[in-house]
Amino acid sequence: MSALPVFLALLLFSAAGLFAADAPKKAPQKEIVWHDAAQWKPGGRAWDDTPSHYSRLPQRAEGKVTKAVWRLSRNSAGLVVYFRTNAPVIHTRHEVSGELAKPHMTATGVSGLDLYARAPNGQWRWAGSSKPKNKIHEEKILNGATPEWRDYMLYLPLYNNTVSVEIGVPEGSSLEPVAPPQAKPIVYYGTSIAHGCSASRPGMTTPAILGRKLDTPVINLGFSGNGKMEPAMAGLVAEIDASVFVLDCLPNMSSLAADEITKRTENCIRAIRKKHPATPIILMEDRSYANAWILPRQFKKNETARAALRSVYDSLTAEGVKGITYVTGGQLLGDDDEGTVDSSHPTDLGMYRQAEVLLPVLKRTLGK
């Protein structure tokens, strides 16, 4: 090998070393400090004696409510973890025990976490969501926020049993748990629609949207296919010291005979009135099936069920029972056919439209 190529090779090697020496060094990765959310009470839970930290009915309800309701009560729909941190980066790690997604509902809604932050104007604004790919999932849910103290709320999975939730912040940042709001909650008792089907993420259900807009805690008692006002559930609903009760069960009760609809509805309202003589009750009709305009059977199902529900309202009002507001169902999802995923279950658009219909009703009811 001649002297010139050797000289050039040495020169290039030396230059590469100089450039490498001058290149900026990456800051060492900070350790993540994890905080187990099981150490503090979640918002949206009405009872403390639940079989697991992230379930919705008390242990004593097992064997009294139907098996389906009990199974669905283990889903963490509507539960929220509140905390404060000054961290610019927030990690989450959580475990669920069931299927990650459904044919008509994404994994972000069925099994994901949804993060909101309190903005300077006091409003809750969306900040990030997790996209689970496995039953145990870790993710950087927020990255690059200005490092200042903020309040956060983390919605838990809608249609899955949540086993554990941890929140991680970089070493050097701080995190403090925050107790759930102490104000009397809105109790929202209903069907799969209240439960969250088919919201794209946990913060986009109608109950969650209403809770943020009113800055009021919400107890989500939606049970997919099983919001049917059985006596045992009516008794449990009546146990809660609520600011208002929203009864949105007609989508599941519409398959019952008209006299059964009236019987169960009257029983539920009387159970609430026995313990809460003056607490407002909002009685809701079912949403219209999106394709009822072309399917007479669907149209008739809506109309028959609504007539039965309305008869209860008229009868109790004539009797002198006070404080019941009746909400018709025709406009709940808008005046077009674009608000559902399958004619029945709302998309995010349908959830938002439904919340917009209920918002002024709740504001009047709550005096907000």
Side-chain angles (χ1 to χ4, degrees):
M1 190 175 193
S2 66
L4 183 58
V6 172
F7 172 75
L8 290 174
L10 289 171
L11 185 63
L12 288 171
F13 180 78
S14 299
L18 286 172
F19 284 128
D22 291 340
K25 292 182 179 179
K26 288 186 178 180
Q29 190 78 17
K30 288 186 178 181
E31 290 292 325
I32 302 171
V33 179
W34 291 98
H35 301 261
D36 186 354
Q39 301 305 309
W40 64 95
K41 179 180 176 177
R45 196 181 70 188
W47 296 272
D48 289 333
D49 54 335
T50 51
S52 70
H53 194 67
Y54 302 116
S55 58
R56 296 181 288 156
L57 290 182
Q59 180 64 59
R60 55 192 162 80
E62 186 177 15
K64 296 178 181 177
V65 299
T66 66
K67 289 182 179 180
V69 167
W70 181 248
R71 173 177 54 81
L72 293 164
S73 76
R74 309 298 290 269
N75 293 167
S76 52
L79 299 189
V80 184
V81 173
Y82 293 91
F83 63 96
R84 298 184 72 236
T85 183
N86 59 359
V89 180
I90 298 175
H91 300 254
T92 56
R93 183 166 62 199
H94 76 294
E95 180 180 356
V96 295
S97 62
E99 61 180 354
L100 292 181
K102 295 181 180 294
H104 59 342
M105 195 172 174
T106 65
T108 54
V110 171
S111 306
L113 303 173
D114 207 6
L115 184 69
Y116 280 74
R118 180 85 79 174
N121 65 359
Q123 293 180 344
W124 288 107
R125 299 191 63 178
W126 181 78
S129 297
S130 69
K131 298 167 281 295
K133 300 178 180 64
N134 299 289
K135 290 184 178 182
I136 299 176
H137 180 74
E138 182 178 327
E139 186 166 341
K140 192 182 292 183
I141 199 169
L142 182 67
N143 186 24
T146 52
E148 56 191 79
W149 281 101
R150 287 188 194 85
D151 288 332
Y152 290 90
M153 60 192 301
L154 185 69
Y155 290 96
L156 303 191
L158 293 172
Y159 265 82
N160 221 318
N161 297 3
T162 299
V163 177
S164 64
V165 179
E166 295 174 275
I167 303 164
V169 296
E171 188 178 18
S173 298
S174 299
L175 182 146
E176 300 172 355
V178 174
Q182 297 303 301
K184 290 184 179 183
I186 298 167
V187 172
Y188 202 117
Y189 175 39
T191 67
S192 55
I193 296 171
H195 196 146
C197 191
S198 294
S200 66
R201 48 188 177 81
M204 281 306 297
T205 68
T206 293
I209 293 168
L210 289 169
R212 291 194 304 276
K213 285 184 175 290
L214 294 164
D215 204 12
T216 299
V218 178
I219 305 296
N220 185 326
L221 294 179
F223 301 101
S224 185
N226 287 276
K228 296 181 179 180
M229 293 193 194
E230 302 96 341
M233 269 307 304
L236 286 166
V237 169
E239 287 183 11
I240 306 169
D241 188 14
S243 60
V244 58
F245 294 93
V246 180
L247 304 180
D248 185 14
C249 292
L250 199 56
N252 283 167
M253 295 170 66
S254 61
S255 59
L256 302 174
D259 61 343
E260 188 66 18
I261 293 173
T262 58
K263 175 181 158 186
R264 293 189 185 195
T265 304
E266 181 177 342
N267 173 72
C268 188
I269 291 174
R270 290 194 187 280
I272 292 170
R273 274 289 166 264
K274 185 175 181 180
K275 292 193 174 184
H276 309 282
T279 304
I281 297 171
I282 294 174
L283 184 61
M284 291 177 59
E285 289 184 351
D286 51 342
R287 48 70 200 109
S288 294
Y289 288 102
N291 56 0
W293 68 274
I294 199 172
L295 297 177
R297 183 179 176 186
Q298 299 290 65
F299 181 84
K300 184 178 179 181
K301 189 176 181 181
N302 282 140
E303 293 302 301
T304 303
R306 289 169 182 173
L309 192 75
R310 182 78 196 204
S311 72
V312 180
Y313 171 75
D314 291 341
S315 174
L316 291 175
T317 301
E319 183 185 312
V321 178
K322 306 287 186 184
I324 306 174
T325 300
Y326 193 85
V327 176
T328 57
Q331 296 300 309
L332 282 174
L333 302 182
D335 57 3
D336 54 32
D337 316 314
E338 306 299 340
T340 77
V341 69
D342 56 4
S343 91
S344 175
H345 297 98
T347 59
D348 290 347
L349 174 62
M351 292 286 187
Y352 188 83
R353 285 175 170 176
Q354 190 167 247
E356 287 291 288
V357 171
L358 288 171
L359 185 61
V361 179
L362 282 164
K363 281 185 174 179
R364 287 194 301 270
T365 302
L366 297 171
K368 291 199 172 194

